[in-house]
Amino acid sequence: MNDYLIYEDLYEVDESYIPTDMEKRIEQRGTELHPLDDPDEYEQYKMRKCRYSLIFSEFLNGKIDKQEMIKKMEQAENKDIFDFQPFEEIHIVDLETKKGKRVRLVAVD
C-alpha cells in the first residue's frame, strides 16, 4: 500500500508552486490572482480576506444581522490586522523522497 497514492489531489503547478489551472487556483486560494505576478492586488485581496472573512462567516451563519455586520466591518477598517501574513505558505510532499517541505512565496520589490 505504501507504493500507491491514496486520496491525493494531483495538479500542475508553476515554478512558484501555484496551480496553473484557474479553477484549481480559485478553489485553493479563493482568487485567480497570482501572488508573484499580481503582488499588489494579491496583497489587497489577502488583507480583505483576513479583515472581513470572519464577519461574513458570522453573517452567513445567522449569528449577526445585516446592521451588525456593517457595524463590525466599519470597526474592522480602523483596526490593525494581527494575523495578517503578506506571504503565501504551502506544504508539499515530494513523491519520490516522501519528505514534507514548506514553501513560502514572498513578493518583494
Side-chain angles (χ1 to χ4, degrees), residues 34-89:
H34 192 290
L36 299 180
D37 293 342
D38 310 307
D40 294 333
E41 292 178 43
Y42 189 78
E43 185 174 347
Q44 291 298 319
Y45 162 75
K46 290 246 333 176
M47 289 172 79
R48 285 192 309 269
K49 181 178 178 184
C50 188
R51 181 171 280 154
Y52 301 121
S53 64
L54 291 176
I55 298 170
F56 286 137
S57 178
E58 287 179 348
F59 174 71
L60 294 174
N61 289 315
K63 294 182 180 179
I64 59 174
D65 61 2
K66 183 178 177 182
Q67 295 300 323
E68 184 69 21
M69 179 186 72
I70 293 170
K71 180 179 165 188
K72 284 188 173 195
M73 288 176 66
E74 289 172 353
Q75 291 173 350
E77 289 178 13
N78 299 325
K79 292 183 182 177
D80 290 335
I81 305 172
F82 296 109
D83 294 337
F84 178 67
Q85 297 177 347
F87 55 84
E88 272 302 307
E89 180 177 280

